Amino acid sequence: MTRRELIFGVPLLAAAAGSDPGFRLVNVTAAAGIDFEHNSGAFDAKYLPETLGAGCAFLDYDGDGWLDILLVNGMDWPGHKKRHSTPKLYRNNRNGTFTDVTQRAGLAVAEMYGLGVAVADYDNDGFPDILFTAVGQNRLFKNTGKGTFLDVTEKAGLGGRNAFSTSAMWFDFDRDGHLDLFVCNYVKWSPEHDIYCSVDGKRKSYCTPEAYHGSTCWLFRNRGDGTFEDVTAKSGIFDTTSKSLGVALLDYDRDGWPDILVANDTQPNKLYRNLRNGTFEDVAVRAGVAFSEDGKARAGMGVDVADYDNSGTAGIAIANFDNEMMALYRSGKSGAYSDVSMKAGIGQPSRNSLGFGCAFCDLNLDGWLDLVAVNGHIDETARVLRNVGYAQAPHLFLNDGRGGFHDVAAEAGSDFAAPKVGRGLAYGDFDRDGDMDLLITTNRGPALLYRNDVTNKNRSLRLRLIGTKSNRDGIGAVVRLFTPDGTQTRMVKTGSSYLSQSELALTFGIGKREKADRVVIEWPSGIVEEHKNVAAGAHICQESKGIAAQAG
């Protein structure tokens, strides 16, 4: 065994002849010490939140340069308590293993019916803070910088708001250097107002969202003093018809101001264009992303936005219900989007999948973003009544660089394509070898950590941005990387996927090249910087202070 194999415990896998996608995903969950099972609280009442699972995040909570893992959890319902459930925080031991530090970090007290997570340094002190979304009261935990977190929900002005919140996103919508907060809310539901639904007329089943009224998303403006102002109404975001599950950051009109894409379940998707004066307008219909190509509102779950064809314009992926296909939107010359999922090769393979978490990431480091989606149905009875499996295989659509994708999940690793009741999905380089590893959560099941072993010897160039005039995380910054092979564009972002958070560092695959000719960074502050002849490897770029190789 090589030194790397000995350190990380699970041997590198040899590529199968004739079917090598250029990487292997190795399940290292047990070897890494990740021991987690999601608690949905289910006790045969078929409460709607039990179907949604919970999310996950990669974050460096202690600032040591190594990614840690955060897993969101539900809890038992009142009157049916059997166990104490909390989120789980696993600290990276820097040797391929993790230690559960939930108690030590002060998160073991956080019993809640948790669903989503969004991580960012909202107070610009250099340490990432955590926002949990939940059924009931969402919770904001401030990082003390000493390995612990404090619940500052009430102090920050986010208390007293009981709802059914799902995905969330930190971003700086007014570009004042302080991160604001967008929260998706699903429907108006509570145990006291639960509706009886049945598929077969004999037994209670989980209702679809059509049974409940929608609920507006929330927008909170960061005042810069540790508190937030609810600007939902005056910003133009208020809309009680939405049933929101996913949110993504993008610059739809390329004016340098962040816009918001919301994936709605059985309601039209929303695209909130930033009017640069504190308000937004919904342009989803005009932009062509509100409905399917045949004019129907689909059941959108997860969402991601990225420049997957290296055109300089971001495309959109939305995971939908079974028989609806995954959407892949491409922007045309007029600025309007069209769904190219069938043409691109992801429509038909995803037709029988019920998708949740989805993410663009370059798994084989060839310079073209691939698309991962995790799937799973909402009820075990679906297998009998609809001939659709409850546990479903994920999709791993490899980008061919010509506008097409093909599913290589079965070739990606020994058990990656095994059926799962997938929900959350995040990517991040937890072992610091330069490629994207994957973290998956399942409903009423385990979390799964897949180490990516790139077999094609491709290299990456990774950038972690630190804002000075901009927000410290550089969220909203756009980075363009130039090589003789073309131009790649990435945005630093939170949100995306489903209830989950991927790492903030940007990874560019550069194939066999040893450097990028140029790297251009457009900061949210408006500052534009250019760096030439940047070598492969990991770098830290501080706004107005230059770029340097990452230490360690």
Side-chain angles (χ1 to χ4, degrees), residues 3-325:
R3 179 177 180 274
R4 184 180 182 280
E5 289 175 302
L6 289 169
I7 289 175
F8 291 101
V10 179
L12 293 167
L13 298 180
S19 61
D20 184 12
F23 63 95
R24 287 293 182 273
L25 295 174
V26 184
N27 187 340
V28 296
T29 311
I34 306 298
D35 183 15
F36 174 86
E37 183 159 336
H38 170 247
N39 179 19
S40 74
F43 65 99
D44 296 327
K46 300 288 186 179
Y47 285 164
L48 181 61
E50 297 167 2
T51 67
L52 296 183
C56 56
F58 279 116
L59 75 163
D60 180 9
Y61 87 97
D62 54 1
D64 67 351
W66 292 76
L67 288 177
D68 312 301
I69 287 174
L70 181 63
L71 301 170
V72 187
N73 209 354
M75 61 181 285
D76 292 335
W77 295 107
H80 300 271
K81 297 288 291 182
K82 294 181 180 179
R83 53 179 164 165
H84 183 78
S85 301
T86 71
K88 289 290 186 180
L89 177 63
Y90 289 92
R91 182 177 183 273
N92 194 325
N93 296 326
R94 313 185 198 182
N95 62 359
T97 68
F98 293 79
T99 298
D100 183 347
V101 295
T102 312
Q103 183 78 38
R104 187 192 318 168
L107 294 179
V109 300
E111 190 175 33
M112 63 188 128
Y113 201 97
L115 289 174
V117 61
V119 180
D121 182 7
Y122 79 88
D123 53 1
N124 291 330
D125 67 352
F127 293 93
D129 311 297
I130 302 170
L131 185 282
F132 291 106
T133 65
V135 178
Q137 175 65 61
N138 298 331
R139 307 275 287 275
L140 176 63
F141 284 84
K142 174 180 165 52
N143 193 327
T144 66
K146 300 176 182 178
T148 60
F149 292 86
L150 293 176
D151 188 339
V152 296
T153 309
E154 297 294 333
K155 184 179 179 181
L158 299 178
R161 292 175 172 85
N162 287 331
F164 189 161
S165 299
T166 53
S167 295
M169 177 177 77
W170 294 100
F171 73 131
D172 185 5
F173 79 84
D174 52 5
R175 291 175 44 173
D176 65 352
H178 303 289
L179 289 175
D180 311 302
L181 177 62
F182 186 93
V183 179
C184 292
N185 289 309
Y186 193 34
V187 295
K188 293 187 179 300
W189 176 92
S190 68
E192 297 75 24
H193 297 93
D194 184 65
I195 295 174
Y196 182 91
C197 295
S198 178
V199 175
D200 59 8
K202 300 176 182 180
R203 296 170 294 174
K204 189 175 190 294
S205 60
Y206 291 112
C207 293
T208 64
E210 286 102 334
Y212 296 94
H213 293 294
S215 184
T216 185
C217 297
W218 293 329
L219 179 61
F220 298 99
R221 180 182 174 273
N222 189 334
R223 294 189 178 102
D225 61 359
T227 68
F228 293 84
E229 172 193 6
D230 186 344
V231 296
T232 305
K234 70 181 184 182
S235 68
I237 296 295
F238 186 82
D239 173 22
T240 57
T241 68
S242 286
K243 300 176 181 181
S244 304
L245 288 175
V247 61
L249 180 65
L250 75 164
D251 184 2
Y252 153 71
D253 50 5
R254 287 180 278 180
D255 65 351
W257 289 75
D259 308 307
I260 308 165
L261 177 65
V262 178
N264 276 323
D265 189 357
T266 70
Q267 292 293 311
N269 299 320
K270 302 291 183 179
L271 176 52
Y272 292 110
R273 178 173 173 262
N274 193 329
L275 300 181
R276 300 184 281 183
N277 60 2
T279 67
F280 294 80
E281 70 167 326
D282 178 18
V283 297
V285 173
R286 186 166 76 228
V289 298
F291 303 98
S292 66
E293 292 293 281
D294 55 1
K296 296 180 180 179
R298 289 187 277 194
M301 314 291 183
V303 58
D304 199 13
V305 176
D307 181 15
Y308 71 84
D309 60 358
N310 292 339
S311 65
T313 303
I316 297 168
I318 300 178
N320 295 307
F321 211 79
D322 70 83
N323 204 39
E324 292 185 335
M325 299 190 300

